[in-house]
Amino acid sequence: MIVRKYQQPLLGYVSRMVGQREMALDFTQDVFVKAYASLRTYEPRYKFSTWLFKIASNLVIDHWRKKKIPSFSLSEPLGRDDDGLTLEVPDDEPSVPRTFELAELRRKVETAMERLPGSLRELFVWRHVNELSYEEMAEIKDLPIGTVKNRVFQAKEMIRRLLEETS
Amino acid sequence: MSCLTISDLYDYLEEGLSPERMNEVKAHLLGCRRCRRAAEERQLIAEAASTLPPFEVPEDFPERVMSRISRPKVKGSGWLIGLVSGSSLLTLISVVLIASGRNALEFFSGASQTFWESAKNAAVLTAKLAALISLIGRTLRSLLEAVSKSLSVLTSFLHPGVQIFILVLALGILASLFYGLRKKLSIGD
């Protein structure tokens, strides 16, 4: 059954986008209802999961707009000259993640994710939690693969810096 | 080879480089402690992010979805509701006609006769009510005219000073009556 197959990945994504569990459950239901209502528009050349995530993403963006939650367009620069992608490794200090146990590191990553701008958080979740390929993400967001990849790297670097701040 | 860029580092960790480039990066990492530490750090974060515990989905989640799918909201279908209602009414009338054994003409003439009977009764009742209201109005008018005439006759006989005295006296009696009653009934306390 389609719902059983996709409920977990969709809820994992939506929960991290909207924050509240009950709202995330409602949104995830909305994704399936909307998908059912617009089945005729589904093109079989795309993966079904990609199509579902696109519907979910549109619902999330609508929610952000209604709630006036700030996010930024993925096609706009982050406002830093180097786009936040300069290799930063202090020579003598211990590596940040090594100072945490894995379980603690997971909790810290989850918390750091909440502090990412919505559009970067979305890509990070798709890449690491839902394990989507860059091609799939580019298709969902209708952006060039290079842009998506760059934004995912930026999200990862932001997470790393946030972990550094909390260590 | 110079130190790695962030993009190179992530591409290497995600195995997104060409085989030649992968080998170059691997060789560089063996010899560069700084880049090796940077790669290890990012690898650990990626592992933690990829093994986050899943969110618990309620057991009845699929049933909840299915119950919403089986009763979808129909938007902008006022005309459809009208059509369905109209058809239902026609069907009901047909069933009544068939059950009563009457033809459509008889049915509608019967219905219109009942309607006109009711309208006639309502008109008669309205006319009677209007006559009653008019009678009450006429009686009140005569009474008020009589009172007015009596007052004018009285005022023509009495001196204006006496009239004022009587008026003040009447007002005093009325006021004392009002306060007496108020006290008796404890109004306003």
Side-chain angles (χ1 to χ4, degrees), chain B residues 96-116:
Chain B
V96 171
L97 282 174
I98 292 163
S100 63
R102 295 159 74 187
N103 64 35
L105 197 65
E106 278 176 343
F107 178 81
F108 284 113
S109 72
S112 74
Q113 212 169 6
T114 313
F115 172 76
W116 282 116

Side-chain angles (χ1 to χ4, degrees), chain A residues 1 3-4 7-8 11-12 15-16 21 25-26 28-30 32-33 36 85-91 93-98 105-106 109-110 113 124 127-128 134 149 153 156-157 160 163, chain B residues 3-11 14 16 33-35 37-42 44-59 61-66 68-70 72:
Chain A
M1 186 183 171
V3 178
R4 281 195 197 283
Q7 61 186 18
Q8 184 67 69
L11 184 65
S15 296
R16 288 174 176 100
R21 181 176 161 77
L25 282 167
D26 287 345
T28 311
Q29 280 185 38
D30 290 346
F32 287 112
V33 173
Y36 178 79
L85 291 178
T86 305
L87 191 60
E88 290 172 8
V89 186
D91 279 336
E93 287 173 26
S95 158
V96 173
R98 284 195 182 285
L105 185 58
R106 284 191 192 118
V109 168
E110 193 83 74
M113 255 198 293
F124 185 85
R127 184 66 186 154
H128 285 288
Y134 289 117
K149 209 170 183 179
F153 292 170
K156 289 179 181 195
E157 281 305 283
R160 197 191 60 79
L163 290 177
Chain B
C3 278
L4 302 174
T5 62
I6 291 285
S7 300
D8 274 343
L9 208 56
Y10 281 123
D11 274 332
E14 294 184 356
R33 184 169 166 264
R34 183 173 173 266
C35 287
R37 283 191 58 221
E40 283 169 2
E41 194 175 81
R42 282 153 184 85
L44 278 172
I45 295 171
E47 272 173 25
S50 301
T51 55
L52 290 172
F55 282 84
E56 196 187 323
V57 183
E59 272 293 308
F61 185 81
E63 285 74 34
R64 283 195 223 173
V65 173
M66 293 317 289
R68 282 187 60 188
I69 284 174
S70 57

Side-chain angles (χ1 to χ4, degrees), chain B residues 145-159 163:
Chain B
E145 274 174 2
V147 169
S148 163
K149 268 183 189 168
S150 317
L151 279 173
S152 63
V153 169
L154 272 171
T155 49
S156 64
F157 282 114
L158 294 170
H159 188 269
Q163 284 179 33

Side-chain angles (χ1 to χ4, degrees), chain A residues 83-152:
Chain A
D83 264 356
L85 291 178
T86 305
L87 191 60
E88 290 172 8
V89 186
D91 279 336
D92 302 319
E93 287 173 26
S95 158
V96 173
R98 284 195 182 285
T99 59
F100 304 125
E101 292 291 323
L102 185 61
E104 195 187 354
L105 185 58
R106 284 191 192 118
R107 278 197 297 277
K108 299 239 178 222
V109 168
E110 193 83 74
T111 311
M113 255 198 293
E114 289 167 16
R115 293 175 62 191
L116 286 183
S119 44
L120 287 188
R121 183 163 75 241
E122 180 174 60
L123 296 183
F124 185 85
V125 170
W126 278 343
R127 184 66 186 154
H128 285 288
V129 179
N130 300 120
E131 295 178 337
L132 299 189
S133 67
Y134 289 117
E135 287 77 9
E136 286 171 321
M137 288 192 270
E139 200 177 285
I140 295 170
K141 299 308 286 183
D142 202 18
L143 286 170
I145 291 175
T147 305
V148 171
K149 209 170 183 179
N150 195 264
R151 295 306 185 192
V152 172

Side-chain angles (χ1 to χ4, degrees), chain B residues 26-39:
Chain B
K26 206 179 278 180
H28 176 79
L29 288 174
L30 282 172
C32 179
R33 184 169 166 264
R34 183 173 173 266
C35 287
R36 193 166 60 245
R37 283 191 58 221

